[in-house]
Amino acid sequence: MGYQFISYKREPGDIGTLTINRPKVLNALNWSTLRELDDFLEDKLPKENLKALIITGEGEKAFVVGADISEMQEMTAREFQEYVGFAHRVYDQIENDPIPSVAAINGYALGGGCELALACDIRIASERAKLGFPEVKLGIFPGWGGTQRITRVLGLGKTKELVFTGEMIDAAEAHRIGLVERVVPHEQLMSEAWKLAGIISKNGPYAVRLAKTAINAGSEMDLQKALLLEKTLVSLCFDTEDRVEGMKAFLEKREPVFNGV
Ligand code: CO8
């Protein structure tokens, strides 16, 4: 696709794998990488029949170690503001796209890298992964959605502990506190991520996408409005061929064949 810092592969089973590819600097996100991500997610990602998107980092050591510090330190305050806003836009695209996303965390996920994982729906980590928000050690704080997305996942106390200390935690601790959903042996990370995405991809795709919207949007509303949204969206599912097929297949004791309509 002509990108320098990202690559994409369509896997069997209607799953896509998007890889951040700057292993020499542990996949730090510079402007160019963010622009490539934006272009890819906005325009080039072939979404037809895509059932799940896995995001990972190239190499054995890192998922993404955050913003590119050498590039960031040269910025003016105005450039920095643009940089932050642009990253917000990229991460919002991942979070708001109805296609479910899985972060396969193959090593360090720090600062903006951990924030990228948090923009994904589900996080699966290698047992070698290390996660954290070291920004305060640089005189800034997590600003690519971090302070807001971590709080929504971990609550106020744990968020403040991680953000104020800037300390890294290992995969087991990340799992214990709910920062990642699964931890697997390093060598099995991608096969486990594909397996998880494969399970999702066998389900009714329209239902999965609407469920993502209901969960994400509903979590920002008061309960009564969220329940109304849920009722509206789940009722849309009822009018689909997939719903007819899913229920029929159950009663006929066979696997359903979903077409996403
Ligand atoms: N940016 C640029 N280069 C990096 C980064 C980075 N974030 N992290 C590592 N590198 C480079 C190193 O400089 C080194 O390059 P070189 O070989 O040319 O010296 C190479 O990657 C390998 O790194 P190390 O030699 O340091 O590898 P180690 O195994 O010794 O250490 C660590 C690995 C622990 C991950 C270490 O590299 C490290 O601490 N990195 C910095 C991590 C960090 O602070 N991340 C947060 C960045 S700030 C951020 O993400 C903010 C996002 C929001 C910004 C906007 C709102 C505020």
Side-chain angles (χ1 to χ4, degrees), residues 24-25 28 61 65-69 80 84 112 134-135 138 141 143-144:
K24 282 193 180 140
V25 286
K61 228 174 140 179
V65 286
D68 187 313
I69 299 169
F80 182 70
V84 173
E135 283 93 334
L138 301 168
F141 67 84
W144 285 355

Side-chain angles (χ1 to χ4, degrees), residues 22-29 61-62 64-72 80 83-84 87-88 91 108 110-113 115 132-135 137-138 140-145 168:
R22 294 186 80 208
K24 282 193 180 140
V25 286
L26 309 184
N27 304 318
L29 297 177
K61 228 174 140 179
V64 168
V65 286
D68 187 313
I69 299 169
S70 59
E71 194 179 77
M72 196 166 44
F80 182 70
Y83 184 58
V84 173
H88 281 188
Y91 289 17
Y108 291 111
L110 301 176
E115 291 169 304
F133 302 93
E135 283 93 334
K137 295 178 191 291
L138 301 168
I140 53 176
F141 67 84
W144 285 355
M168 280 188 243

